[in-house]
Amino acid sequence: LDRHLAFQTMATPLRPIECSAQPLSFSFHPSRDLVAAGLCDGTAELHDVIFSPLDADGGAAAGQEGVGKADDNQSMEDDDSEVDTILSTIYVARKSQQEGGETQMLAKLDGKQQSSGKAKQGPSCRCVLFSDSSQVDEVSSDEKSSTRGRFLYTACNHGSIRCLDTEKACRIQPNDDEGDENDSIVWSIENAHAVGINRLYQLPHSSPCGDALVSGDDAGNIRIWDTALLHNEGGKQANSKKPANPFDGLMQLPTGCIQHWKIHQDYITDFEVDADGKTLFATCADGTLSVLDLRFVRRKNTPRAVSRPEVDLRNPDAAEAQIKLPKGKTTWDVHGYVQSDNQEDELLSCSLVKSGTKLLCGSQEGILSIFTHGRWGDISDRFPGHPSSIDALLRIDDDTVLTGSSDGLVRAVQLLPNQLLGVLGGHDGFPVEALGWGAGRAYVGSLSHDENIRLWDGSFLKDDDEDMDDDVEEGKVPSGLAGASTKGEDDDWEDMDEDDDEDSDDSDSDDSDEGGGGKKAKKREKMFKTANEEFFSDL
């Protein structure tokens, strides 16, 4: 597998974003070439994105010769040091040692699975997220397009959430005083969670909750925040005081929190929402998927805090016995959620595909688990093949996703039929922790364990996808990048010897001659051409 992937054509590597410390998360502005990074030292940095190849003479060609060459790494460092992309640095974590100590005590009470070493870590900014729709009622519908990315949300390992004004934050200089940083803070919730927040997600405007913010923490808690209410409150330090007794705040939700679910027993890894914004999906390291009904939040006479008893998830009968439900009712009816069976494997990422009829989940064992809509108890299909865990998923279209694996590669994968299409780029063997689209889907960003956010030219994915829309509607080819690869050959993940590659090359040429996709299909085949295909194309 590794030998085969080493010769796959890569996307053109662009100039990376160099941060002042290791980034734990990043978020691209939805309409500008701007990226925010949450760093391990408790700061959030804003950088300009410079859309240029690493090497004007042959950056893309260098990527074709293999993943992780030492000279390529050196050229990346040299090019990146020439241009300073940083706009501002803002400290968003707690500064008080006393507050940090209280957080450690709460972490032990609410997050039993946390080790004492993790609770004593210094402040870090784990999550950053640009708003992707209008957040203020006074903004008219004609102005909503210009307000995308107006706010930047941050979340830290001590459980705080802050909302920053993007424009003001971009003007802060590294040597500015603390007052200038505070001016950029729109609102802040110091005690949003009792333990560290691991994931932030924004619901679409069509959701029953509106443009609400969703947060998931290390103890499996999921909370929904009414951002409009927090904006109207106008206070920059909502819930800034901790109760003297940590148990005093357990029965009362913080200001702005409109729903709380505690149905998982480990940290929340990812969120996804369906097209109409009525259903929220959450994956967890405890090996289960939860499906949450967002209409339940606004329903009258329903509890705002739902907690599932902590039982052995491998014994569903014991779990159901401890959940008291009216006769003929389910947890979906009474508590607004359903939970899958334990998959005996950590679920680390998720993405909807196939027009929302399938939910794809990446796992610790390198398996893509596929759930079918409406049947959330267990998976309906699985796609093995990744040699390591799948920590990030990025949807290209209904049939194709990018996967970020802990072996350091970003792969393009087709689903149903399942097939590896190629490798977009690599991180020299370090795990790929996050993936994201840049403004206009012109480039793809990836994050690993160094101080860089690497960028890859994704315009060929966007342009080709748009060009094929007419063919998809006419039924000539499947939608997306996978349209070039539905040839009926065996799975490339297992049969990778040279004879099979040669035979599949011949069958591909025959199929393309018969009109299976035309010029657009050939263009897609050229994107991820193997060394064997390049050799035989010259004969």
Side-chain angles (χ1 to χ4, degrees):
L1 177 63
D2 293 336
R3 176 188 62 81
H4 181 77
L5 295 181
F7 291 95
Q8 292 282 3
T9 302
M10 296 172 59
T12 304
L14 305 177
R15 185 185 302 276
I17 302 297
E18 183 177 357
C19 302
S20 58
Q22 179 182 340
L24 303 179
S25 65
F26 71 93
S27 177
F28 287 110
H29 194 281
S31 58
R32 294 167 51 186
D33 289 328
L34 180 69
V35 62
L39 307 185
C40 63
D41 60 1
T43 61
E45 283 189 348
L46 292 168
H47 291 260
D48 277 326
V49 177
I50 300 177
F51 193 80
S52 62
L54 287 177
D55 187 357
D57 297 330
Q64 296 177 3
E65 297 177 359
V67 180
K69 298 293 186 182
D71 53 348
D72 291 343
N73 297 338
Q74 185 63 36
S75 63
M76 291 173 60
E77 295 176 359
D78 295 340
D79 291 341
D80 194 42
S81 61
E82 296 176 0
V83 179
D84 187 9
T85 61
I86 188 170
L87 294 175
S88 63
T89 301
I90 307 170
Y91 196 93
V92 296
R94 289 175 177 166
K95 297 183 178 181
S96 170
Q97 295 295 332
Q98 182 178 1
E99 290 180 350
E102 293 172 350
T103 301
Q104 294 169 20
M105 178 171 58
L106 286 172
K108 294 177 182 179
L109 292 172
D110 195 16
K112 295 181 180 179
Q113 78 282 359
Q114 278 199 191
S115 64
S116 59
K118 186 173 182 179
K120 294 179 181 178
Q121 287 181 351
S124 62
C125 180
R126 288 187 179 181
C127 306
V128 289
L129 179 67
F130 279 109
S131 61
D132 200 10
S133 58
S134 174
Q135 299 286 315
V136 185
D137 294 337
E138 300 85 58
V139 178
S140 64
S141 58
D142 297 335
E143 298 174 342
K144 284 185 178 180
S145 59
S146 62
T147 60
R148 297 181 64 194
R150 178 178 178 181
F151 302 106
L152 174 66
Y153 303 112
T154 66
C156 299
N157 65 333
H158 287 163
S160 63
I161 297 178
R162 282 189 170 90
C163 175
L164 309 178
D165 185 287
T166 302
E167 293 299 329
K168 292 182 179 179
C170 288
R171 293 195 294 266
I172 296 176
Q173 300 300 319
N175 296 326
D176 288 348
D177 56 25
E178 184 178 347
D180 295 329
E181 291 187 4
N182 292 334
D183 288 341
S184 66
I185 299 177
V186 180
W187 51 261
S188 175
I189 307 176
E190 295 297 340
N191 306 313
H193 287 258
V195 293
I197 299 173
N198 195 59
R199 184 67 62 179
L200 286 180
Y201 187 83
Q202 186 181 17
L203 299 176
H205 186 70
S206 59
S207 167
C209 303
D211 303 319
L213 190 67
V214 184
S215 58
D217 67 20
D218 290 344
N221 298 287
I222 299 173
R223 287 182 170 179
I224 300 180
W225 305 87
D226 189 340
T227 54
L229 176 62
L230 291 168
H231 280 292
N232 294 333
E233 288 287 334
K236 293 186 177 182
Q237 298 294 331
N239 299 283
S240 60
K241 294 184 179 180
K242 281 184 175 291
N245 186 343
F247 292 100
D248 292 345
L250 294 181
M251 302 302 295
Q252 183 179 3
L253 296 178
T255 301
C257 181
I258 57 177
Q259 187 64 46
H260 169 93
W261 278 288
K262 175 64 173 75
I263 55 181
H264 290 287
Q265 299 181 17
D266 211 327
Y267 66 95
I268 302 298
T269 57
D270 204 0
F271 290 115
E272 181 66 291
V273 70
D274 62 356
D276 57 7
K278 296 179 180 179
T279 306
L280 177 68
F281 306 95
T283 53
C284 183
D286 64 7
T288 63
L289 165 75
S290 60
V291 184
L292 310 173
D293 185 5
L294 296 177
R295 296 169 295 184
F296 178 84
V297 178
R298 298 299 187 185
R299 195 176 300 163
K300 294 182 178 179
N301 301 322
T302 55
R304 296 283 69 83
V306 176
S307 180
R308 177 189 176 99
E310 292 193 8
V311 296
D312 185 6
L313 295 176
R314 292 176 175 81
N315 188 357
D317 295 334
E320 294 301 328
Q322 296 191 27
I323 302 176
K324 297 180 180 180
L325 298 173
K327 188 176 181 180
K329 298 292 185 178
T330 64
T331 56
W332 181 265
D333 302 320
V334 180
H335 299 307
Y337 78 90
V338 293
Q339 191 174 19
S340 73
D341 297 336
N342 190 284
Q343 302 301 308
E344 299 184 355
D345 191 7
E346 296 183 10
L347 301 182
L348 304 177
S349 52
C350 63
S351 178
L352 282 170
V353 294
K354 299 295 181 180
S355 301
T357 60
K358 303 288 183 180
L359 181 69
L360 186 68
C361 297
S363 69
Q364 179 70 31
E365 298 296 329
I367 297 173
L368 288 170
S369 301
I370 303 176
F371 289 88
T372 298
H373 189 278
R375 294 184 290 175
W376 306 115
D378 202 355
I379 61 174
S380 59
D381 202 353
R382 61 201 303 268
F383 182 11
H386 287 74
S388 302
S389 62
I390 304 171
D391 301 321
L393 291 174
L394 183 63
R395 182 182 180 274
I396 299 178
D397 51 50
D398 265 351
D399 303 301
T400 322
V401 296
L402 293 178
T403 64
S405 179
S406 58
D407 67 348
L409 296 183
V410 180
R411 297 173 173 86
V413 176
Q414 170 191 319
L415 302 167
L416 301 175
N418 301 331
Q419 186 180 5
L420 169 68
L421 300 180
V423 175
L424 186 75
H427 277 268
D428 308 328
F430 291 100
V432 180
E433 298 288 352
L435 295 170
W437 285 108
R441 291 168 64 103
Y443 45 88
V444 175
S446 58
L447 187 70
S448 187
H449 289 181
D450 53 16
E451 296 183 355
N452 295 323
I453 300 174
R454 298 200 184 187
L455 304 179
W456 316 94
D457 185 6
S459 58
F460 69 98
L461 300 174
K462 177 194 68 171
D463 295 340
D464 190 68
D465 188 46
E466 293 175 352
D467 293 340
M468 293 190 68
D469 285 345
D470 295 337
D471 291 339
V472 172
E473 293 178 359
E474 296 175 4
K476 294 181 181 180
V477 295
S479 63
L481 188 64
S485 304
T486 53
K487 311 299 182 183
E489 62 245 8
D490 293 335
D491 192 2
D492 285 344
W493 292 80
E494 298 179 358
D495 301 327
M496 294 188 176
D497 54 88
E498 295 182 358
D499 294 336
D500 288 345
D501 288 340
E502 182 178 357
D503 293 340
S504 63
D505 180 61
D506 294 338
S507 63
D508 288 350
S509 60
D510 293 339
D511 290 342
S512 61
D513 292 341
E514 294 175 2
K519 295 181 179 180
K520 302 304 179 184
K522 293 180 180 179
K523 181 180 178 181
R524 290 175 183 262
E525 292 173 354
K526 187 177 180 180
M527 294 176 191
F528 299 102
K529 185 176 293 185
T530 64
N532 288 328
E533 291 172 340
E534 293 177 354
F535 173 76
F536 285 107
S537 64
D538 296 332
L539 298 181

